[in-house]
Amino acid sequence: MHVARISTAISVIAMTAVSFAPAYAGQRGRGTPPATAHANTASKPANSKPADFAGRIASHPQLASRVQALLPPNVALQDAAAGFKNQGQFIAALHVSHNLGIPFDQLKAGMTGPNHESLGQAIHALKPGVDAKAATRVAEREADADEKAAAADMKTGNSK
């Protein structure tokens, strides 16, 4: 009778282990995510798409107006934003394009293409004589100002 209890206990333990196995599939020790996970996804919802910020921009009239003024003619906001990592990077790239007269499509290709570069590297590649660090700082400050204006819209209730 004692052997029957042990056998039953082992069966229960084995079935429990098998039922939890899928939850740990693909993990590599100590709960690290599977190799396919991206480092930047921890702060984003699982169903977030990279250009979701284009919709957020469009929902803030003041920010949308500022961004639309920087977009190349006949280029939709969603299309322009596609490929950028985040809203700040996208808006800074728009400012650089506008400030330095660099065609936005070329700047975007340098930043989002297969051998993507930082904003500063893309500036240097397209306009070697320009102080890329200074141009990046200026554009990032302008992007921050645009985003703060949108946040002020939210606080005062001036968004759509």
Side-chain angles (χ1 to χ4, degrees), residues 16 24 46 52 60 64 89 96-98 107 114-115 123 130 139 141 150:
T16 302
Y24 295 103
D52 281 351
H60 299 294
Q89 182 192 49
V96 165
S97 173
H98 180 77
L107 190 62
N115 297 320
I123 293 168
V130 170
R141 271 183 283 183

Side-chain angles (χ1 to χ4, degrees), residues 9-99:
I10 289 173
S11 294
V12 169
I13 291 169
M15 288 176 17
T16 302
V18 169
S19 68
F20 284 109
Y24 295 103
Q27 290 191 1
R28 300 171 313 195
R30 294 200 185 149
T32 55
T36 57
H38 299 291
N40 294 350
T41 58
S43 62
K44 293 188 226 172
N47 61 357
S48 174
K49 293 182 182 127
D52 281 351
F53 59 82
R56 288 193 304 272
I57 291 170
S59 71
H60 299 294
Q62 188 171 354
L63 181 58
S65 174
R66 289 176 180 226
V67 169
Q68 289 292 335
L70 298 170
L71 287 173
N74 303 317
V75 175
L77 173 62
Q78 190 72 29
D79 294 336
F84 284 94
K85 293 178 185 175
N86 58 53
Q87 179 173 307
Q89 182 192 49
F90 167 61
I91 296 173
L94 285 171
H95 278 288
V96 165
S97 173
H98 180 77
N99 296 346

